[in-house]
Amino acid sequence: SRNPLDLANFGRTPRLIEEIVKRERYDIVHVHTPVAAFVTRYALRNLRQEHHPKVVYTAHGFHFYRGGSVSKNTVFRMIERLAGRWTDHLIVMNREDHEAAQALKIVPPSAVTFMSGIGIATSEYDPSSVRPEEIASVRAEMGLNPSSPLFLMVAEFIPRKRHVDALQAFANLMFPEAHLAFAGDGPCMREMKRLAQTLGVSDCVHFLGLRNDIRILMRASNALLLPSTQEGLPRSIMEALSLQVPVIGSDIRGTRDLLENGCGLLVPVGDVGGLARAIQCILDNPSEARVMAQRGRAKMITKCDINHILKSHTELYDRLLNDGLSAYEEQSAPQ
């Protein structure tokens, strides 16, 4: 379960993980996402004492963050510091988490690496990879005119993504020809559909559900929106930037890292008026929006391309394997 408080995670799961790792004799176990990472590190805490395997944790955004609940932040800091005892190397993907990891000494400073996420294949997410007829097709599916502005949000319908802000900002927009599309599913979707009706914008808001044509939808849009409360390094923004699509996001860790220095527009969390003004800014300044999008793609190519990230992982794994070999040779040396 993704719920960090679900005790069922500590039933059979740790024992099964330990059995699998013992049987397969893995040299490195690389864990991702907070809950799965904690459970796995807990399961392997005793095996690590034998220098086998090395455990690497990529933090896709700590559960504690600036602006979060004081009580929750306190609990999750304690959990990460505990799990740090069972971690050989920690990878973080935004500056706020990097600073927190070092300040809290979750692992020794030498065991922390900053990487720009899990990478994106910028050659695959290239603007030229989407054909004009594909763009025309998805816009026709929504009943849009060729000149109708379209804004897109790609996110699971959960409270922290703040679809409510996007809807309220859109209702405040002084541009009746504009449309808003949501790609994704989740527990809040029905509530957001009701809100669109209440706000009187249901005719120009499209709930698309789960899609496998995100690249086309992004290229068909004037900009991507992501007004979240909490992120690590949001994949949807990386995809949009790589596709040279303008982005409006909340001024939080991860999103800020991607959009700063003129690569996108940042709005304070919950600032519906600011979000509406940012949308209007994209509409009023198409040339500046294009330049901003070009800047964003250049950033993805130089900092987040998958080949850079693969190289960083290979170097890290080599270092960990060499450290493990040295420790084994030291233990095996005659006394």
Side-chain angles (χ1 to χ4, degrees):
S1 169
R2 289 171 62 182
N3 180 357
L5 304 179
D6 189 344
L7 296 180
N9 287 325
F10 294 91
R12 297 175 61 243
T13 306
R15 179 173 55 80
L16 289 173
I17 291 171
E18 184 179 15
E19 288 175 358
I20 291 168
V21 172
K22 276 183 175 179
R23 183 179 70 239
E24 302 298 333
R25 298 178 58 81
Y26 292 116
D27 297 300
I28 295 174
V29 175
H30 193 155
V31 293
H32 292 258
T33 74
V35 178
F38 183 86
V39 174
T40 302
R41 288 180 289 171
Y42 170 79
L44 302 179
R45 66 195 188 284
N46 294 324
L47 283 183
R48 286 184 58 255
Q49 295 176 3
E50 305 165 14
H51 301 285
H52 188 87
K54 295 284 187 178
V55 177
V56 181
Y57 168 38
T58 291
H60 290 245
F62 291 133
H63 267 307
F64 58 87
Y65 54 95
R66 291 174 193 161
S69 159
V70 173
S71 57
K72 287 184 178 178
N73 278 354
T74 300
V75 170
F76 287 121
R77 284 190 191 103
M78 291 172 59
I79 290 173
E80 287 293 354
R81 291 183 74 175
L82 173 63
R85 301 176 186 176
W86 315 322
T87 306
D88 292 291
H89 206 90
L90 169 64
I91 297 173
V92 291
M93 54 179 66
N94 61 67
R95 287 198 305 274
E96 182 180 316
D97 283 354
H98 191 211
E99 292 167 6
Q102 293 179 316
L104 295 172
K105 299 180 180 178
I106 293 175
V107 295
S110 60
V112 182
T113 295
F114 180 94
M115 292 188 195
S116 297
I118 56 173
I120 184 164
T122 56
S123 58
E124 178 182 345
Y125 285 86
D126 186 288
S128 63
S129 68
V130 179
R131 301 190 305 275
E133 56 267 30
E134 292 177 308
I135 294 174
S137 177
V138 297
R139 289 178 67 88
E141 175 190 336
M142 289 178 268
L144 303 184
N145 296 322
S147 60
S148 298
L150 174 65
F151 292 84
L152 175 69
M153 183 169 170
V154 180
E156 183 182 6
F157 277 85
I158 53 177
R160 72 177 175 88
K161 298 294 183 178
R162 301 189 71 93
H163 293 78
V164 61
D165 289 359
L167 281 170
Q168 290 177 341
F170 205 72
N172 293 338
L173 199 64
M174 303 301 292
F175 206 103
E177 298 85 5
H179 287 249
L180 173 64
F182 294 116
D185 201 352
C188 297
M189 188 173 185
R190 187 173 299 178
E191 179 187 350
M192 292 302 103
K193 286 183 176 180
R194 288 197 297 267
L195 178 60
Q197 291 178 331
T198 301
L199 293 171
V201 295
S202 55
D203 289 344
C204 54
V205 176
H206 309 270
F207 292 86
L208 306 179
L210 297 176
R211 304 284 296 213
N212 59 7
D213 57 350
I214 296 299
R215 287 184 305 159
I216 301 171
L217 286 170
M218 286 183 172
R219 285 295 297 167
S221 305
N222 292 63
L224 179 85
L225 310 180
L226 192 64
S228 316
T229 299
Q230 174 192 358
E231 294 289 346
L233 197 73
R235 172 79 184 185
S236 64
I237 290 182
M238 294 173 70
E239 291 178 0
L241 293 178
S242 186
L243 286 164
Q244 213 162 287
V245 175
V247 177
I248 302 168
S250 48
D251 191 3
I252 58 171
R253 66 174 186 189
T255 299
R256 183 187 308 118
D257 295 56
L258 294 172
L259 299 186
E260 66 184 3
N261 299 323
C263 293
L265 299 179
L266 290 165
V267 178
V269 174
D271 184 355
V272 172
L275 185 56
R277 288 190 294 274
I279 294 171
Q280 190 69 50
C281 183
I282 295 291
L283 292 170
D284 294 342
N285 303 280
S287 298
E288 289 87 342
R290 280 194 294 273
V291 171
M292 184 172 65
Q294 291 167 356
R295 206 177 286 129
R297 173 160 173 80
K299 185 174 190 175
M300 291 301 99
I301 292 171
T302 57
K303 292 186 177 296
C304 300
D305 186 83
I306 186 66
N307 291 313
H308 301 324
I309 305 302
L310 287 173
K311 182 174 182 290
S312 297
H313 278 77
T314 301
E315 291 171 352
L316 173 60
Y317 292 164
D318 284 345
R319 190 161 78 248
L320 290 171
L321 289 171
N322 288 333
D323 289 348
L325 182 60
S326 298
Y328 174 78
E329 290 173 342
E330 196 174 295
Q331 280 192 333
S332 302
Q335 301 299 314

